[in-house]
Amino acid sequence: QVQLVESGGGLVQAGGSLRLSCAASRRTFSSNTMGWFRQAPGKEREFVAGINWSGGNRYYADSVRGRFTISRDNAKKILYLEMNSLKPEDTAVYYCAAASDTYGNTWLQISSEYDNWGQGTQVTVSS
């Protein structure tokens, strides 16, 4: 098991920026695919962004591509999500997730492909 702790959420005006962080405790963090998901009220959890173990393979949902950037610092065991040009429709609880793959390069965009989750951090974008 791995403990994932998100931080950095908050209230921001439309057009603003936030950076989310996710600190991981797993020893194998540097070899696992990591991802960000979000869940808005009354909606299902949806994929936002994913990154492979090295950081060389990053992929995004169409709704955030060009505005959000996922990155990782394996030495510090931290996952990041830089969010720019935020829109009211980005309002949701954001979760980081860890897969149990080892040095994989497959795009993992389904929540069931991840086996560890953080508690979530609220992002609210006002219009």
Side-chain angles (χ1 to χ4, degrees), residues 20-99:
L20 305 183
S21 299
C22 172
S25 64
R26 184 151 69 184
R27 177 177 55 85
T28 59
F29 172 86
S30 61
S31 64
N32 300 143
T33 295
M34 299 291 295
W36 287 99
F37 288 75
R38 67 186 182 186
Q39 188 167 18
K43 295 187 178 181
E44 293 187 354
R45 189 172 298 188
E46 64 174 358
F47 170 79
V48 174
I51 187 168
N52 76 328
W53 61 277
S54 68
N57 187 8
R58 314 181 194 193
Y59 39 100
Y60 302 89
D62 289 342
S63 58
V64 307
R65 186 176 295 112
R67 299 188 297 122
F68 290 12
T69 302
I70 188 172
S71 61
R72 65 191 298 163
D73 184 330
N74 284 342
K76 296 181 179 179
K77 297 183 182 178
I78 299 178
L79 177 72
Y80 299 102
L81 185 68
E82 185 76 34
M83 305 186 294
N84 298 314
S85 302
L86 283 162
K87 304 175 181 179
E89 51 263 44
D90 294 319
T91 295
V93 177
Y94 283 71
Y95 299 89
C96 72

Side-chain angles (χ1 to χ4, degrees), residues 2-24:
V2 59
Q3 183 178 14
L4 301 173
V5 180
E6 301 99 334
S7 61
L11 174 64
V12 64
Q13 289 187 334
S17 299
L18 282 174
R19 188 176 79 159
L20 305 183
S21 299
C22 172

